[in-house]
Amino acid sequence: MRKTILFIAMSLDGYIADNKGNVDWLNGQGNDSENIDTYSEFIKNIDTILMGWNTYHQIVTELSPNEWVYSDFITYVITHNAHTSSEKIRFTNTNPVELVKSLRKENGKDIWICGGANLAQQLVNEDLIDCYYITVIPTLLGSGIRLFENTKREIRLKLLNTQSYNGMIDLVYTRR
């Protein structure tokens, strides 16, 4: 069965965006030449991405308005708004829990939960995240969009790997 992986970055105090939804603070303590390319290794085992509307909108309007950066994948955008899907970007108002359960049964590589917090929280609450790959950024935001808010159950995790670079720490966990 395909795995569902939450691959995301958060501030040291647990936020994935500031109180205005911005992510311009997502960098290390030095220059980018000190970064390790964990993304390229991660995506080797991914062929499907799930994201919420806000994440999609931020990508296409702010972060990469001229090019869809995930063109190598099938991306499902969870939204209640009507949009025309394409071969690579599929807009859906399907319940994310049901969508993940369905996708996991299909043949393919793993499924990346790209964001945002609402989508991640729904899947965490149903214990549908197989692997948590979280990069902790050396920034304290104080407020914003919290990654793990009001979880409905305790989920015990097992630490698989850590790595530190440019003041950031990658934490990789699976369920115990």
PDB file of all heavy atoms in Angstrom, residues 1-2 4 50 94-106 111 123 126-128:
ATOM      1  N   MET A   1       0.841  -1.186   0.000  1.00  0.00           N
ATOM      2  CA  MET A   1       0.000   0.000   0.000  1.00  0.00           C
ATOM      3  C   MET A   1       0.885   1.248   0.000  1.00  0.00           C
ATOM      4  O   MET A   1       1.929   1.279   0.642  1.00  0.00           O
ATOM      5  CB  MET A   1      -0.915   0.011   1.231  1.00  0.00           C
ATOM      6  CG  MET A   1      -1.896   1.160   1.206  1.00  0.00           C
ATOM      7  SD  MET A   1      -3.000   1.336   2.642  1.00  0.00           S
ATOM      8  CE  MET A   1      -3.654  -0.254   2.875  1.00  0.00           C
ATOM      9  N   ARG A   2       0.433   2.239  -0.702  1.00  0.00           N
ATOM     10  CA  ARG A   2       1.153   3.510  -0.764  1.00  0.00           C
ATOM     11  C   ARG A   2       1.168   4.174   0.608  1.00  0.00           C
ATOM     12  O   ARG A   2       0.209   4.090   1.359  1.00  0.00           O
ATOM     13  CB  ARG A   2       0.454   4.439  -1.756  1.00  0.00           C
ATOM     14  CG  ARG A   2       0.380   3.870  -3.150  1.00  0.00           C
ATOM     15  CD  ARG A   2      -0.599   4.635  -4.001  1.00  0.00           C
ATOM     16  NE  ARG A   2       0.013   5.870  -4.473  1.00  0.00           N
ATOM     17  CZ  ARG A   2      -0.621   6.750  -5.221  1.00  0.00           C
ATOM     18  NH1 ARG A   2      -1.880   6.570  -5.569  1.00  0.00           N
ATOM     19  NH2 ARG A   2      -0.004   7.837  -5.626  1.00  0.00           N
ATOM     20  N   THR A   4       1.416   7.623   3.046  1.00  0.00           N
ATOM     21  CA  THR A   4       1.037   9.034   3.084  1.00  0.00           C
ATOM     22  C   THR A   4       2.080   9.755   3.929  1.00  0.00           C
ATOM     23  O   THR A   4       2.285   9.412   5.091  1.00  0.00           O
ATOM     24  CB  THR A   4      -0.363   9.205   3.701  1.00  0.00           C
ATOM     25  OG1 THR A   4      -1.274   8.351   3.024  1.00  0.00           O
ATOM     26  CG2 THR A   4      -0.830  10.637   3.607  1.00  0.00           C
ATOM     27  N   LEU A  50      -1.156  16.072  -2.376  1.00  0.00           N
ATOM     28  CA  LEU A  50      -2.425  16.636  -1.907  1.00  0.00           C
ATOM     29  C   LEU A  50      -2.125  17.962  -1.232  1.00  0.00           C
ATOM     30  O   LEU A  50      -1.169  18.067  -0.452  1.00  0.00           O
ATOM     31  CB  LEU A  50      -3.094  15.729  -0.873  1.00  0.00           C
ATOM     32  CG  LEU A  50      -4.174  14.788  -1.366  1.00  0.00           C
ATOM     33  CD1 LEU A  50      -3.561  13.736  -2.244  1.00  0.00           C
ATOM     34  CD2 LEU A  50      -4.903  14.186  -0.206  1.00  0.00           C
ATOM     35  N   THR A  94     -13.834  16.413  -2.682  1.00  0.00           N
ATOM     36  CA  THR A  94     -13.914  15.138  -1.981  1.00  0.00           C
ATOM     37  C   THR A  94     -13.331  15.290  -0.579  1.00  0.00           C
ATOM     38  O   THR A  94     -12.341  15.995  -0.378  1.00  0.00           O
ATOM     39  CB  THR A  94     -13.108  14.059  -2.755  1.00  0.00           C
ATOM     40  OG1 THR A  94     -13.615  13.984  -4.078  1.00  0.00           O
ATOM     41  CG2 THR A  94     -13.183  12.709  -2.085  1.00  0.00           C
ATOM     42  N   ASN A  95     -13.926  14.618   0.371  1.00  0.00           N
ATOM     43  CA  ASN A  95     -13.407  14.608   1.731  1.00  0.00           C
ATOM     44  C   ASN A  95     -11.967  14.088   1.682  1.00  0.00           C
ATOM     45  O   ASN A  95     -11.711  13.012   1.140  1.00  0.00           O
ATOM     46  CB  ASN A  95     -14.281  13.692   2.591  1.00  0.00           C
ATOM     47  CG  ASN A  95     -13.781  13.574   4.006  1.00  0.00           C
ATOM     48  OD1 ASN A  95     -12.640  13.196   4.249  1.00  0.00           O
ATOM     49  ND2 ASN A  95     -14.649  13.880   4.941  1.00  0.00           N
ATOM     50  N   PRO A  96     -10.999  14.832   2.226  1.00  0.00           N
ATOM     51  CA  PRO A  96      -9.597  14.427   2.128  1.00  0.00           C
ATOM     52  C   PRO A  96      -9.307  13.058   2.744  1.00  0.00           C
ATOM     53  O   PRO A  96      -8.468  12.317   2.246  1.00  0.00           O
ATOM     54  CB  PRO A  96      -8.830  15.521   2.862  1.00  0.00           C
ATOM     55  CG  PRO A  96      -9.790  16.563   3.219  1.00  0.00           C
ATOM     56  CD  PRO A  96     -11.165  16.113   2.899  1.00  0.00           C
ATOM     57  N   VAL A  97     -10.010  12.725   3.802  1.00  0.00           N
ATOM     58  CA  VAL A  97      -9.814  11.419   4.439  1.00  0.00           C
ATOM     59  C   VAL A  97     -10.206  10.313   3.466  1.00  0.00           C
ATOM     60  O   VAL A  97      -9.469   9.342   3.274  1.00  0.00           O
ATOM     61  CB  VAL A  97     -10.622  11.327   5.755  1.00  0.00           C
ATOM     62  CG1 VAL A  97     -10.655   9.907   6.296  1.00  0.00           C
ATOM     63  CG2 VAL A  97     -10.053  12.298   6.796  1.00  0.00           C
ATOM     64  N   GLU A  98     -11.353  10.468   2.824  1.00  0.00           N
ATOM     65  CA  GLU A  98     -11.807   9.459   1.854  1.00  0.00           C
ATOM     66  C   GLU A  98     -10.906   9.427   0.636  1.00  0.00           C
ATOM     67  O   GLU A  98     -10.621   8.357   0.090  1.00  0.00           O
ATOM     68  CB  GLU A  98     -13.262   9.722   1.449  1.00  0.00           C
ATOM     69  CG  GLU A  98     -14.246   9.632   2.597  1.00  0.00           C
ATOM     70  CD  GLU A  98     -14.125   8.336   3.396  1.00  0.00           C
ATOM     71  OE1 GLU A  98     -14.027   7.249   2.780  1.00  0.00           O
ATOM     72  OE2 GLU A  98     -14.115   8.407   4.641  1.00  0.00           O
ATOM     73  N   LEU A  99     -10.432  10.586   0.194  1.00  0.00           N
ATOM     74  CA  LEU A  99      -9.536  10.645  -0.959  1.00  0.00           C
ATOM     75  C   LEU A  99      -8.234   9.897  -0.664  1.00  0.00           C
ATOM     76  O   LEU A  99      -7.763   9.104  -1.479  1.00  0.00           O
ATOM     77  CB  LEU A  99      -9.246  12.098  -1.339  1.00  0.00           C
ATOM     78  CG  LEU A  99      -8.308  12.305  -2.526  1.00  0.00           C
ATOM     79  CD1 LEU A  99      -8.843  11.649  -3.794  1.00  0.00           C
ATOM     80  CD2 LEU A  99      -8.081  13.799  -2.757  1.00  0.00           C
ATOM     81  N   VAL A 100      -7.652  10.129   0.491  1.00  0.00           N
ATOM     82  CA  VAL A 100      -6.410   9.447   0.851  1.00  0.00           C
ATOM     83  C   VAL A 100      -6.631   7.943   0.950  1.00  0.00           C
ATOM     84  O   VAL A 100      -5.823   7.151   0.441  1.00  0.00           O
ATOM     85  CB  VAL A 100      -5.815  10.020   2.162  1.00  0.00           C
ATOM     86  CG1 VAL A 100      -4.736   9.106   2.727  1.00  0.00           C
ATOM     87  CG2 VAL A 100      -5.257  11.407   1.921  1.00  0.00           C
ATOM     88  N   LYS A 101      -7.710   7.535   1.581  1.00  0.00           N
ATOM     89  CA  LYS A 101      -7.996   6.100   1.685  1.00  0.00           C
ATOM     90  C   LYS A 101      -8.106   5.468   0.302  1.00  0.00           C
ATOM     91  O   LYS A 101      -7.605   4.365   0.074  1.00  0.00           O
ATOM     92  CB  LYS A 101      -9.279   5.869   2.484  1.00  0.00           C
ATOM     93  CG  LYS A 101      -9.118   6.128   3.965  1.00  0.00           C
ATOM     94  CD  LYS A 101     -10.430   5.908   4.694  1.00  0.00           C
ATOM     95  CE  LYS A 101     -10.287   6.133   6.191  1.00  0.00           C
ATOM     96  NZ  LYS A 101     -11.583   5.953   6.901  1.00  0.00           N
ATOM     97  N   SER A 102      -8.734   6.168  -0.617  1.00  0.00           N
ATOM     98  CA  SER A 102      -8.884   5.663  -1.981  1.00  0.00           C
ATOM     99  C   SER A 102      -7.548   5.632  -2.718  1.00  0.00           C
ATOM    100  O   SER A 102      -7.199   4.636  -3.361  1.00  0.00           O
ATOM    101  CB  SER A 102      -9.891   6.538  -2.730  1.00  0.00           C
ATOM    102  OG  SER A 102      -9.958   6.181  -4.082  1.00  0.00           O
ATOM    103  N   LEU A 103      -6.791   6.715  -2.637  1.00  0.00           N
ATOM    104  CA  LEU A 103      -5.499   6.797  -3.329  1.00  0.00           C
ATOM    105  C   LEU A 103      -4.505   5.757  -2.820  1.00  0.00           C
ATOM    106  O   LEU A 103      -3.709   5.215  -3.592  1.00  0.00           O
ATOM    107  CB  LEU A 103      -4.900   8.193  -3.189  1.00  0.00           C
ATOM    108  CG  LEU A 103      -5.590   9.309  -3.961  1.00  0.00           C
ATOM    109  CD1 LEU A 103      -5.025  10.674  -3.555  1.00  0.00           C
ATOM    110  CD2 LEU A 103      -5.457   9.093  -5.457  1.00  0.00           C
ATOM    111  N   ARG A 104      -4.557   5.458  -1.534  1.00  0.00           N
ATOM    112  CA  ARG A 104      -3.625   4.484  -0.955  1.00  0.00           C
ATOM    113  C   ARG A 104      -3.829   3.091  -1.537  1.00  0.00           C
ATOM    114  O   ARG A 104      -2.900   2.293  -1.569  1.00  0.00           O
ATOM    115  CB  ARG A 104      -3.771   4.455   0.559  1.00  0.00           C
ATOM    116  CG  ARG A 104      -3.180   5.695   1.205  1.00  0.00           C
ATOM    117  CD  ARG A 104      -3.539   5.816   2.638  1.00  0.00           C
ATOM    118  NE  ARG A 104      -2.923   4.775   3.429  1.00  0.00           N
ATOM    119  CZ  ARG A 104      -2.571   4.916   4.688  1.00  0.00           C
ATOM    120  NH1 ARG A 104      -2.763   6.066   5.296  1.00  0.00           N
ATOM    121  NH2 ARG A 104      -2.036   3.933   5.351  1.00  0.00           N
ATOM    122  N   LYS A 105      -5.035   2.814  -1.993  1.00  0.00           N
ATOM    123  CA  LYS A 105      -5.345   1.496  -2.562  1.00  0.00           C
ATOM    124  C   LYS A 105      -4.896   1.376  -4.018  1.00  0.00           C
ATOM    125  O   LYS A 105      -4.778   0.265  -4.540  1.00  0.00           O
ATOM    126  CB  LYS A 105      -6.848   1.236  -2.471  1.00  0.00           C
ATOM    127  CG  LYS A 105      -7.344   1.093  -1.052  1.00  0.00           C
ATOM    128  CD  LYS A 105      -8.849   0.921  -1.025  1.00  0.00           C
ATOM    129  CE  LYS A 105      -9.368   0.910   0.402  1.00  0.00           C
ATOM    130  NZ  LYS A 105     -10.838   0.858   0.442  1.00  0.00           N
ATOM    131  N   GLU A 106      -4.664   2.503  -4.676  1.00  0.00           N
ATOM    132  CA  GLU A 106      -4.246   2.488  -6.078  1.00  0.00           C
ATOM    133  C   GLU A 106      -2.758   2.166  -6.194  1.00  0.00           C
ATOM    134  O   GLU A 106      -1.993   2.360  -5.254  1.00  0.00           O
ATOM    135  CB  GLU A 106      -4.509   3.855  -6.724  1.00  0.00           C
ATOM    136  CG  GLU A 106      -5.961   4.224  -6.808  1.00  0.00           C
ATOM    137  CD  GLU A 106      -6.180   5.614  -7.390  1.00  0.00           C
ATOM    138  OE1 GLU A 106      -5.191   6.270  -7.791  1.00  0.00           O
ATOM    139  OE2 GLU A 106      -7.339   6.042  -7.425  1.00  0.00           O
ATOM    140  N   ILE A 111       2.321   9.245  -1.394  1.00  0.00           N
ATOM    141  CA  ILE A 111       1.476  10.426  -1.479  1.00  0.00           C
ATOM    142  C   ILE A 111       2.031  11.482  -0.528  1.00  0.00           C
ATOM    143  O   ILE A 111       2.197  11.229   0.664  1.00  0.00           O
ATOM    144  CB  ILE A 111       0.022  10.076  -1.090  1.00  0.00           C
ATOM    145  CG1 ILE A 111      -0.500   8.953  -1.994  1.00  0.00           C
ATOM    146  CG2 ILE A 111      -0.860  11.312  -1.134  1.00  0.00           C
ATOM    147  CD1 ILE A 111      -1.703   8.232  -1.421  1.00  0.00           C
ATOM    148  N   LEU A 123      -6.081  14.615   8.387  1.00  0.00           N
ATOM    149  CA  LEU A 123      -5.450  13.312   8.187  1.00  0.00           C
ATOM    150  C   LEU A 123      -4.771  12.804   9.452  1.00  0.00           C
ATOM    151  O   LEU A 123      -4.791  11.605   9.734  1.00  0.00           O
ATOM    152  CB  LEU A 123      -4.466  13.394   7.024  1.00  0.00           C
ATOM    153  CG  LEU A 123      -5.108  13.786   5.690  1.00  0.00           C
ATOM    154  CD1 LEU A 123      -4.054  13.978   4.611  1.00  0.00           C
ATOM    155  CD2 LEU A 123      -6.170  12.794   5.251  1.00  0.00           C
ATOM    156  N   GLU A 126      -7.306  11.227  11.763  1.00  0.00           N
ATOM    157  CA  GLU A 126      -7.741   9.886  11.350  1.00  0.00           C
ATOM    158  C   GLU A 126      -6.559   8.910  11.292  1.00  0.00           C
ATOM    159  O   GLU A 126      -6.705   7.794  10.803  1.00  0.00           O
ATOM    160  CB  GLU A 126      -8.436   9.955   9.989  1.00  0.00           C
ATOM    161  CG  GLU A 126      -9.715  10.764  10.008  1.00  0.00           C
ATOM    162  CD  GLU A 126     -10.779  10.195  10.948  1.00  0.00           C
ATOM    163  OE1 GLU A 126     -10.891   8.952  11.046  1.00  0.00           O
ATOM    164  OE2 GLU A 126     -11.475  11.002  11.596  1.00  0.00           O
ATOM    165  N   ASP A 127      -5.394   9.351  11.785  1.00  0.00           N
ATOM    166  CA  ASP A 127      -4.176   8.549  11.823  1.00  0.00           C
ATOM    167  C   ASP A 127      -3.813   8.002  10.442  1.00  0.00           C
ATOM    168  O   ASP A 127      -3.449   6.837  10.288  1.00  0.00           O
ATOM    169  CB  ASP A 127      -4.304   7.409  12.844  1.00  0.00           C
ATOM    170  CG  ASP A 127      -2.956   6.859  13.269  1.00  0.00           C
ATOM    171  OD1 ASP A 127      -1.922   7.515  13.008  1.00  0.00           O
ATOM    172  OD2 ASP A 127      -2.933   5.758  13.847  1.00  0.00           O
ATOM    173  N   LEU A 128      -3.892   8.872   9.422  1.00  0.00           N
ATOM    174  CA  LEU A 128      -3.598   8.478   8.050  1.00  0.00           C
ATOM    175  C   LEU A 128      -2.221   8.943   7.563  1.00  0.00           C
ATOM    176  O   LEU A 128      -1.882   8.742   6.410  1.00  0.00           O
ATOM    177  CB  LEU A 128      -4.680   9.007   7.104  1.00  0.00           C
ATOM    178  CG  LEU A 128      -6.017   8.289   7.204  1.00  0.00           C
ATOM    179  CD1 LEU A 128      -7.070   8.996   6.352  1.00  0.00           C
ATOM    180  CD2 LEU A 128      -5.881   6.829   6.800  1.00  0.00           C
TER     181      LEU A 128
END
